[in-house]
Amino acid sequence: MKKYIFNTFYTLLILSGLCLQSCTELDLTQKDAANSGTWYQTKDQFRQSLNESYREVFWPLDEVYEGMDDDWQRRDVLNAIKAGNVSSEYAKSNTDWSNLYKGIARVLVVVNELENQTVLTEAESSQLLGEANFLRASFYSYLITHFGDVPFYEQELTVDESFEVARTPKEEIKLKLYEYYDNAAATLPVSYNGLQYATKGAAYAMKARLALYMGDFQIAATAAENCINLGEYELYEDYAELFEPTTKNSKETIFHIPRNTDLNIIRNDNVRDFLPRNHGGYAGRNPTWELLASYECIDGLPIDESPLFDPQNPFKNRDPRLLATIAPFGSLEDGDGLEPDSGSNFMDIEHNPHPNAKLVRDYENNIDIRNQDTRSIGAFAAFNGLLFKKGVTKDWKDYRTDPDLIIMRYADVLLMYAEAKIELNEIDQSVLNALNSVRDRAYANSPFTNPEITTTNQAELRYKVRSERRAELAFEGRRYMDLIRWRLAEKALTGYTYGLLNVTADANTDTPPTGPLMDNLVDKDLWFWGQTPQIDEDGLPDFTGLLNAGYCRTLNVTTFPERQYLFPIPEEDRLLNPNLTQNTGY
């Protein structure tokens, strides 16, 4: 059954046309709230005011829409993060800053009214305050993990105060946020009957995420364990199905922002960029070769150590999550009768980027069609031959899709618990159980068996849990901050992005392709990768060998200067408020 957060409110919100655009004033005060003197007279009015904080703009994701990390790219275009040219006018950081402070201002109005109201019971007031604390803690958590020290306040600011407020050290702010989450966990219910809002489990889980980002591993481990011990959440049976638009509010989901096409609440980025060209999309946002190389083989070994890896069949004998995340092609397992030049069925059309596959099968209509997803037909087909599959279904083909925006799910909590315990060097069976339960689900709907993690060596487990996070959470907005907190961004995001060698593009299906891709790779039976990429001690792939051998080309140069470990404070706000200092390097 579909469950949404106050659908009536969403409808009113759309009709009212509330605006969240930046203005020439500081966004630390609320200028468009309901008048508190006439509005807060009933429980429903408090409820509706808090509901506004469940709007998607207040829950920004990293990299999913931007291409900020090493998991995906937009053809050969660089985001400012990977171009290394982030400035105090960087659009994403400025928008996130503005929206989150607007969210905080709205919550503070409710907090102030709750402290002075006379219409609610003590229990009702306590629960709503707990929810408000959850919301403002979550908004501030994003700010301090991305910007560092930021303005922090617990009461509404006047306009004059907003021009004078200074930055508070993030180490001070985090302690207050832990208190907010603790209050939320103490007052919020484990679940709701019907409409879904923040819960006790969400408070524990979001506290664990913040603590992990801040390096407070004991706090993270305890909070994650508290969430696990609620017994409220389970891993969804099918990893691939979990992310499809029809899977709403699953038993794995701890906190999400619902979407609904009937209410025009849809995925708001350009979904055509993710769709295959054979399905009317642009295929412009592509998984990276680095992501493809990062998944282990079914023996639990990285590709440069496993005898099962075949560089000509890079999807063969791999972690099943790879096949659910990137549209596969070639042979997938021993005995399947497929070759490197074989395609696979993706949304009822054969997916095959091989340059000789100028025709592919339309299984739904039982005809062959021109293959727009190979570069020998379309010059703007995926430059590296890869397409996203995770969550992408035929529902996307009208460019209006409404999958849940999952902010927190149970697999993430299990991995956070394992990572925190590993960093504390408190490694016991519970750590292995957490890791292996996530892996068991990944393998559950495949012909393979999970090669269980059994080591108790801290360094080996640190490598494993980081690899698990990349495989499990790919394309969910978590990779960027993982690289930031592991201090790996400089290494992972400095170098090159890679793609296929050039090939002639000719829409005539009878014309054989020519060019370096054919000469150096295909005609030598070396498609897709001419050799196995090497994986370093941090799990990061190295394609230098393929490049030097002439088996691939670079698409662009990436760089990540040290200053970018924090976003810049928006220049516009600093011009209005001289007390706002800037982060180093901007």
Side-chain angles (χ1 to χ4, degrees):
M1 180 177 66
K2 295 184 179 180
K3 299 176 182 177
Y4 299 102
I5 299 174
F6 216 93
N7 290 345
T8 301
F9 175 73
Y10 271 133
T11 305
L12 293 173
L13 186 62
I14 295 163
L15 295 175
S16 67
L18 292 177
C19 179
L20 279 175
Q21 300 300 315
S22 296
C23 60
T24 56
E25 298 182 62
L26 284 172
D27 289 314
L28 306 184
T29 59
Q30 183 169 352
K31 295 174 281 293
D32 59 356
N35 187 303
S36 60
T38 59
W39 176 249
Y40 293 97
Q41 303 298 317
T42 69
K43 179 181 178 181
D44 283 346
Q45 289 170 337
F46 279 98
R47 175 73 269 157
Q48 291 181 40
S49 293
L50 281 182
N51 283 348
E52 188 176 353
S53 297
Y54 293 96
R55 298 165 65 185
E56 193 166 325
V57 293
F58 298 133
W59 302 90
L61 290 181
D62 296 317
E63 88 250 0
V64 171
Y65 306 151
E66 288 271 331
M68 294 162 57
D69 65 7
D70 55 348
D71 276 358
W72 79 269
Q73 64 194 54
R74 193 181 190 281
R75 294 196 180 106
D76 60 352
V77 177
L78 283 183
N79 168 269
I81 293 287
K82 289 196 285 190
N85 59 16
V86 170
S87 73
S88 58
E89 297 179 350
Y90 177 42
K92 174 178 170 53
S93 60
N94 288 6
T95 298
D96 291 348
W97 172 282
S98 174
N99 285 344
L100 287 164
Y101 272 112
K102 287 177 180 178
I104 290 166
R106 285 156 171 74
V107 172
L108 289 181
V109 170
V110 181
V111 170
N112 180 66
E113 293 299 324
L114 285 170
E115 292 173 349
N116 297 284
Q117 62 81 32
T118 59
V119 299
L120 304 175
T121 67
E122 183 176 347
E124 290 171 338
S125 177
S126 177
Q127 182 173 319
L128 288 172
L129 180 59
E131 188 176 341
N133 282 334
F134 169 87
L135 293 167
R136 60 173 163 173
S138 298
F139 298 159
Y140 269 122
S141 291
Y142 185 95
L143 287 168
I144 68 171
T145 55
H146 289 70
F147 293 90
D149 304 342
V150 299
F152 177 77
Y153 44 93
E154 297 185 273
Q155 300 292 330
E156 298 174 73
L157 295 182
T158 65
V159 173
D160 288 342
E161 288 171 337
S162 72
F163 287 102
E164 299 173 354
V165 64
R167 299 167 71 186
T168 301
K170 64 181 180 180
E171 294 297 320
E172 293 182 23
I173 299 174
K174 73 175 183 181
L175 299 178
K176 195 66 184 179
L177 303 188
Y178 293 154
E179 291 181 15
Y180 289 162
Y181 280 131
D182 287 344
N183 171 262
T187 58
L188 293 177
V190 174
S191 63
Y192 293 89
N193 181 18
L195 301 174
Q196 303 297 297
Y197 307 103
T199 61
K200 186 184 298 291
Y204 285 139
M206 294 296 282
K207 180 183 179 181
R209 176 177 287 166
L210 172 61
L212 200 64
Y213 284 7
M214 301 303 293
D216 295 331
F217 298 117
Q218 186 60 66
I219 294 174
T222 300
E225 186 174 23
N226 287 339
C227 182
I228 293 169
N229 289 342
L230 290 175
E232 180 69 11
Y233 310 104
E234 301 176 29
L235 294 173
Y236 192 79
E237 295 84 356
D238 189 312
Y239 178 81
E241 189 176 279
L242 173 61
F243 308 101
E244 294 179 357
T246 52
T247 305
K248 300 292 187 184
N249 192 30
S250 76
K251 62 185 179 183
E252 182 169 342
T253 301
I254 296 174
F255 184 70
H256 74 289
I257 305 300
R259 297 184 176 118
N260 186 329
T261 53
D262 293 339
L263 298 175
N264 201 36
I265 303 169
I266 59 176
R267 185 178 174 120
N268 60 13
D269 58 329
N270 190 346
V271 299
R272 294 187 72 173
D273 252 358
F274 297 95
L275 274 173
R277 295 167 67 85
N278 286 331
H279 288 274
Y282 302 142
R285 304 190 189 195
N286 316 117
T288 59
W289 279 13
E290 285 83 0
L291 179 61
L292 173 59
S294 69
Y295 289 84
E296 66 183 27
C297 291
I298 57 173
D299 56 6
L301 296 174
I303 60 174
D304 62 340
E305 296 180 20
S306 173
L308 300 177
F309 182 69
D310 179 358
Q312 278 74 64
N313 288 294
F315 293 90
K316 184 176 183 179
N317 297 327
R318 304 290 297 281
D319 183 326
R321 287 170 293 193
L322 169 58
L323 278 66
T325 302
I326 303 177
F329 49 83
S331 177
L332 306 183
E333 59 179 292
D334 292 333
D336 62 12
L338 301 176
E339 301 295 334
D341 61 356
S342 298
S344 67
N345 188 336
F346 182 25
M347 297 192 295
D348 292 331
I349 294 179
E350 179 187 357
H351 171 61
N352 193 347
H354 196 286
N356 285 334
K358 302 189 81 172
L359 289 172
V360 290
R361 194 66 175 171
D362 179 339
Y363 298 106
E364 186 174 25
N365 297 299
N366 200 29
I367 58 173
D368 289 333
I369 61 173
R370 183 184 287 112
N371 183 10
Q372 302 291 343
D373 284 309
T374 180
R375 301 205 67 231
S376 61
I377 288 286
F380 288 95
F383 286 9
N384 63 7
L386 303 182
L387 297 180
F388 270 115
K389 182 181 178 183
K390 189 172 183 178
V392 180
T393 69
K394 293 173 71 174
D395 175 77
W396 290 47
K397 293 185 66 172
D398 62 358
Y399 319 133
R400 291 175 54 80
T401 185
D402 61 355
D404 285 348
L405 174 59
I406 301 175
I407 306 299
M408 181 67 71
R409 61 186 178 92
Y410 189 50
D412 197 351
V413 172
L414 291 171
L415 294 177
M416 289 193 293
Y417 171 76
E419 182 179 352
K421 296 286 281 186
I422 290 166
E423 293 302 327
L424 293 167
N425 205 16
E426 297 176 358
I427 298 165
D428 56 19
Q429 190 60 44
S430 70
V431 173
L432 301 182
N433 289 345
L435 289 170
N436 283 316
S437 63
V438 175
R439 292 162 63 89
D440 285 341
R441 189 267 300 277
Y443 280 81
N445 295 285
S446 77
F448 309 117
T449 301
N450 170 26
E452 291 192 352
I453 296 174
T454 58
T455 181
T456 56
N457 178 275
Q458 185 185 36
E460 292 175 359
L461 281 174
R462 179 179 293 121
Y463 179 96
K464 281 291 188 182
V465 75
R466 292 182 177 186
S467 296
E468 276 300 300
R469 287 191 63 82
R470 189 172 195 181
E472 177 70 22
L473 303 172
F475 196 37
E476 295 182 47
R478 303 294 159 228
R479 174 67 177 173
Y480 175 75
M481 279 306 296
D482 282 350
L483 292 176
I484 293 295
R485 64 191 180 84
W486 295 333
R487 302 296 292 188
L488 287 177
E490 286 173 273
K491 182 178 182 181
L493 303 181
T494 297
Y496 302 95
T497 59
Y498 298 89
L500 296 170
L501 295 168
N502 285 316
V503 63
T504 55
D506 190 330
N508 188 337
T509 59
D510 294 326
T511 303
T514 60
L517 181 62
M518 304 303 296
D519 298 338
N520 295 7
L521 216 65
V522 175
D523 292 344
K524 295 179 180 180
D525 293 327
L526 293 175
W527 169 269
F528 175 73
W529 280 336
Q531 64 186 46
T532 300
Q534 297 301 294
I535 310 295
D536 73 9
E537 68 277 4
D538 292 310
L540 302 176
D542 181 1
F543 291 91
T544 304
L546 282 81
L547 184 65
N548 292 340
Y551 296 149
C552 68
R553 66 186 175 108
T554 60
L555 300 177
N556 42 39
V557 179
T558 63
T559 184
F560 188 93
E562 184 177 4
R563 62 183 167 83
Q564 289 185 183
Y565 276 101
L566 289 176
F567 283 169
I569 305 302
E571 185 62 24
E572 184 179 78
D573 283 14
R574 293 190 64 242
L575 289 173
L576 294 169
N577 181 353
N579 292 328
L580 286 180
T581 57
Q582 184 57 277
N583 285 324
T584 302
Y586 292 105

